[in-house]
Amino acid sequence: MKFATYHSGSRDGELLLVARDLRHAARVSDIAPTLQALLEDWQTLAPELEARYTCLNAGELEGAFVLEMATLHSPLPRSYQWADGSAYLNHVQLVRQARNAEMPDTFWQDPLMYQGGSDSFLPPTADIACVSESHGIDFEGEIAVITDDVPMNVGVEAAAGHIRLLMLVNDVSLRGLIPGELAKGFGFFQAKPSSSFSPIAVTPDELSDAWQEGRVHLPLTVHLNGEKFGEPESGPDMIFNFPQLVAHAAMTRPLGAGAIIGSGTVSNPGKDGGPGKPIKEGGVGYSCLAEVRMVEKILFDEIRTPFMRFGDRVRIEMFDRQGQSIFGAIDQQVTAVGE
């Protein structure tokens, strides 16, 4: 099934059931008024929605209407939990290599994860309002899962059964603020403003054989100012899969229904095992600006690519093997606060 949240004006919006081709949708408030309500009673409500989803895709559901992406919020406009991993260790390795730092062996056994702000996500087509270009404005193309209630100390195999939905993420980062915050030894806060998510969240079965072993095996497409910036493969270099990330997050505390767990920046090494190459040089490119900047530092001993400036636009999307958009697009412009 595919779901969206209509930006109705209320904080949590209104749940919509979305057709597989993303062209039509239907209100389902008689079953669940919001996505959060659905997740809190998934076992009971999902079968009813499955029946309607079949009718919607067949063009037989009364009340269906043409879907307009601009009217949608992130699937969960706010959440009780947003924790982002860093499962693509190629990304981590490049950042550390650029500053001549070794990557600890423990990084390969225990996932990195931080707890983000979840009280106000951005709609997928909303502006990214920032205080200053000097903060080092960056996008991060990622994948995330949404869970139902996850018990504390859940095993990896059991954790897989609590993954209900997947979506894409733009985990906005202010790179210029990160070093100072990390130097305090207490993690990110100001460096991580509101994230945004794809307009559509989908059940894992919608991905068919692209969902294997708790990973999505499809390219993630990123455009910057209308030019393709990256198309890295999201499956093979994800060191920790989503069940492992969920189990890690729930090791010492339960996760409430609606918890969002992110993959971290999708990243691939080059074919020779070294740093990946830009699209224009035959590589798969990148999912964030920080990575290409680190590659430039490693290869040329200088950084040539600037961070985002006011007016810049990023688009993040994923397509199935037939070229159909799966989650819709995150399409955002950076603006100055108050514009």
Side-chain angles (χ1 to χ4, degrees):
M1 290 183 286
K2 297 193 175 188
F3 298 98
T5 292
Y6 173 62
H7 200 353
S8 63
S10 66
R11 287 197 174 199
D12 297 307
E14 179 186 357
L15 180 65
L16 301 178
L17 187 64
V18 178
R20 185 168 286 117
D21 62 8
L22 309 187
R23 294 180 181 177
H24 294 85
R27 291 182 169 84
V28 289
S29 57
D30 59 314
I31 298 176
T34 64
L35 184 56
Q36 181 65 36
L38 170 59
L39 291 161
E40 290 176 359
D41 197 12
W42 184 274
Q43 297 288 0
T44 301
L45 302 179
E48 295 183 63
L49 290 166
E50 283 275 13
R52 290 199 190 179
Y53 187 62
T54 299
C55 292
L56 178 61
N57 285 314
E60 299 171 353
L61 186 62
E62 186 177 349
F65 55 88
V66 175
L67 181 64
E68 295 182 18
M69 292 291 179
T71 66
L72 303 181
H73 210 303
S74 285
L76 286 171
R78 57 178 175 168
S79 170
Y80 293 111
Q81 181 75 262
W82 157 229
D84 198 15
S86 191
Y88 296 88
L89 292 188
N90 179 67
H91 173 75
V92 180
Q93 200 162 24
L94 285 172
V95 172
R96 295 182 71 87
Q97 183 180 347
R99 64 172 190 261
N100 296 314
E102 293 290 328
M103 191 164 78
D105 289 340
T106 55
F107 281 23
W108 296 93
Q109 288 95 44
D110 195 38
L112 295 168
M113 186 170 286
Y114 81 91
Q115 187 164 336
S118 60
D119 53 331
S120 60
F121 297 134
L122 296 174
T125 57
D127 289 344
I128 302 169
C130 296
V131 173
S132 172
E133 292 179 340
S134 68
H135 287 169
I137 307 162
D138 200 359
F139 55 86
E140 291 191 63
E142 307 183 10
I143 306 166
V145 297
I146 308 176
T147 73
D148 59 11
D149 288 302
V150 182
M152 182 172 65
N153 201 28
V154 67
V156 172
E157 185 175 347
H162 291 283
I163 294 172
R164 296 304 181 191
L165 297 166
L166 294 104
M167 54 187 179
L168 305 181
V169 190
N170 181 12
D171 180 39
V172 181
S173 294
L174 303 178
R175 303 291 186 183
L177 302 182
I178 288 177
E181 290 203 297
L182 293 184
K184 297 177 182 179
F186 222 53
F188 303 119
F189 197 88
Q190 292 177 339
K192 291 291 186 176
S194 296
S195 298
S196 56
F197 298 85
S198 55
I200 312 298
V202 312
T203 51
D205 61 290
E206 289 290 329
L207 297 174
S208 189
D209 63 353
W211 175 249
Q212 295 182 30
E213 298 180 342
R215 298 173 176 87
V216 179
H217 291 265
L218 289 168
L220 181 68
T221 303
V222 179
H223 285 83
L224 178 61
N225 294 327
E227 293 189 12
K228 188 177 288 186
F229 182 82
E231 203 165 39
E233 289 287 341
S234 57
D237 297 305
M238 188 180 185
I239 304 303
F240 302 101
N241 66 17
F242 279 113
Q244 289 173 303
L245 293 176
V246 171
H248 177 82
M251 180 179 175
T252 59
R253 54 177 166 173
L255 305 179
I260 304 171
I261 307 296
S263 67
T265 307
V266 179
S267 176
N268 300 149
K271 293 179 180 179
D272 59 358
K277 295 181 178 180
I279 294 281
K280 292 179 180 179
E281 296 179 18
V284 296
Y286 314 96
S287 296
C288 70
L289 290 166
E291 190 163 318
V292 68
R293 286 164 60 91
M294 293 306 97
V295 171
E296 290 168 349
K297 178 67 175 176
I298 293 165
L299 296 181
F300 313 119
D301 198 31
E302 66 174 359
I303 293 172
R304 301 173 176 179
T305 300
F307 285 121
M308 297 184 82
R309 299 188 173 102
F310 298 146
D312 284 349
R313 179 174 292 277
V314 63
R315 183 181 179 95
I316 301 170
E317 198 164 9
M318 181 175 281
F319 302 90
D320 64 21
R321 294 188 179 98
Q322 289 71 49
Q324 169 68 44
S325 181
I326 299 170
F327 303 94
I330 299 170
D331 192 346
Q332 299 177 289
Q333 185 176 39
V334 176
T335 62
V337 170
E339 281 191 356

